[in-house]
Amino acid sequence: MNLGKATEQKVQEIVGTCEKHGRDSIVLLSGVAGTGKTFIALNAAVRFAEHPLLVKQIQFHQSFTYEDFFEGLRPNRSGGFEARAGIFMDWNEAALRDSSNRYVLLIEEFTRANITAVLGELMTYIEYRARLFETPVTRRRMRIAGNLTILATMNPQDRSALEVDDALIRRLRIVECPPSVDQLKEMLAESLPNRGEEESGQLIIEKLTHLFEECKKRYPDTFNDLMPFGHGIFSGISSEDDLRELWNQRIRYLIRRNPQVPAHAFAKDIEELYPWRSAAGGEGATKT
């Protein structure tokens, strides 16, 4: 896959971080929704591992447990319980058996789970790969494979991200993935007619670029972590009608949920800077 220059640079940054720190840290991509974290992480993971079959992709959620991730007891057909390996243990065993290759576990929405509960003692042994430890259920002696890299993504706006403690942060290598006007331009060149070189396409690129740049100028200290959406929200845009539809169906709900919920801190600025806030008739039209 041919990536744009800005996207390629970010993928290379992630691969370089995996090369340097993947043996003793979790490499974590941090960015608001719509900054292309999953796309970049998956491209970087496949490039680092050198084959897509050496990359396992999972997603954490609120009900994800230590038993799902590492090992636990599961009901069997006879009405009893049996020990069963979780996702991480299975992938770690595969890496241990195949030490000549690099393996990657890609975890999306890393902070959506109760991280300290899900990782358990692995927080220590991810850092110290040579140490043997005993599994809590099967009492097996094992270690974390040196050729297994954990790559993850998170949105710093998630409430659960605020609960990440120092012990975990010490085992992370955090790579920021902020909204990027360079990646925005590359993406719009792929979706707009004639690669956005027509006057209408140039206007769209100019206005959207200005929106991000102006928000960053007005909120320099909080832009990376608080912008309610990233450049990826405009993926697939091919016309101004698409932008009006996107406003009425998504963006306006990101900045103003309902009267009972306070508006986003950037709401007035985004409303000022986004020129496609009206629709041709219909109750969904936003008044300006």
Side-chain angles (χ1 to χ4, degrees):
M1 177 184 293
N2 293 324
L3 303 175
K5 182 179 179 181
T7 305
E8 175 63 29
Q9 287 176 343
K10 181 58 69 173
V11 169
Q12 289 181 10
E13 180 184 358
I14 303 304
V15 172
T17 306
C18 290
E19 295 268 7
K20 191 173 182 180
H21 302 292
R23 292 178 63 88
D24 59 14
S25 301
I26 297 171
V27 179
L28 180 65
L29 280 64
S30 175
V32 301
T35 49
K37 298 184 298 296
T38 297
F39 178 80
I40 290 170
L42 187 56
N43 274 274
V46 172
R47 188 175 301 182
F48 177 73
E50 299 182 341
H51 199 288
L53 292 180
L54 299 176
V55 178
K56 181 180 285 293
Q57 188 173 8
I58 63 173
Q59 182 172 318
F60 278 179
H61 48 78
Q62 290 180 343
S63 60
F64 205 94
T65 65
Y66 178 88
E67 291 76 15
D68 297 321
F69 192 63
F70 193 55
E71 74 167 4
L73 296 174
R74 292 287 187 272
N76 57 29
R77 293 181 179 180
S78 63
F81 291 87
E82 62 183 12
R84 189 175 302 173
I87 294 170
F88 178 85
M89 183 180 281
D90 277 344
W91 203 233
N92 185 63
E93 290 288 344
L96 287 169
R97 292 192 300 267
D98 185 18
S99 59
S100 62
N101 285 312
R102 292 169 169 173
Y103 282 67
V104 177
L105 179 63
L106 173 55
I107 305 172
E108 293 188 67
E109 306 290 359
F110 184 68
T111 52
R112 289 290 179 92
N114 183 342
I115 300 301
T116 54
V118 170
L119 295 183
E121 68 274 24
L122 295 179
M123 284 179 62
T124 295
Y125 299 111
I126 285 170
E127 183 177 5
Y128 300 104
R129 303 292 179 100
R131 289 189 188 179
L132 289 170
F133 63 96
E134 188 175 88
T135 63
V137 178
T138 57
R139 300 298 179 186
R140 283 199 297 140
R141 298 279 287 173
M142 66 172 292
R143 64 180 176 84
I144 306 302
N147 58 322
L148 173 60
T149 294
I150 302 174
L151 187 60
T153 68
M154 80 165 188
N155 183 342
Q157 291 186 9
D158 288 341
R159 292 180 182 177
S160 52
L162 302 176
E163 300 171 1
V164 175
D165 60 24
D166 291 346
L168 177 57
I169 290 175
R170 192 167 62 82
R171 292 166 173 87
L172 300 176
R173 289 287 176 163
I174 301 175
V175 180
E176 287 196 348
C177 294
S180 166
V181 294
D182 291 328
Q183 291 181 50
L184 171 71
K185 292 174 183 178
E186 292 173 356
M187 188 177 63
L188 292 174
E190 294 297 322
S191 63
L192 290 170
N194 296 318
R195 298 189 59 80
E197 294 178 0
E198 297 176 355
E199 184 179 351
S200 59
Q202 288 292 312
L203 179 64
I204 288 173
I205 293 172
E206 178 186 328
K207 293 292 186 182
L208 290 179
T209 298
H210 180 64
L211 184 151
F212 283 107
E213 290 179 339
E214 188 64 22
C215 284
K216 186 173 184 178
K217 180 180 177 181
R218 297 179 188 184
Y219 303 95
D221 297 329
T222 57
F223 173 79
N224 285 1
D225 291 336
L226 290 186
M227 185 69 184
F229 51 82
H231 52 273
I233 199 171
F234 300 108
S235 175
I237 292 297
S238 61
S239 68
E240 292 188 291
D241 285 341
D242 289 345
L243 290 163
R244 293 186 186 95
E245 186 177 76
L246 183 65
W247 174 268
N248 285 296
Q249 296 177 353
R250 183 176 298 171
I251 293 176
R252 68 189 184 114
Y253 296 104
L254 290 173
I255 62 175
R256 295 186 188 275
R257 299 284 176 92
N258 58 61
Q260 286 73 44
V261 178
H264 189 278
F266 299 1
K268 290 183 178 179
D269 303 271
I270 292 170
E271 289 168 344
E272 171 196 334
L273 297 165
Y274 194 92
W276 304 281
R277 293 178 54 217
S278 61
E283 294 182 1
T286 303
K287 296 180 180 179
T288 57

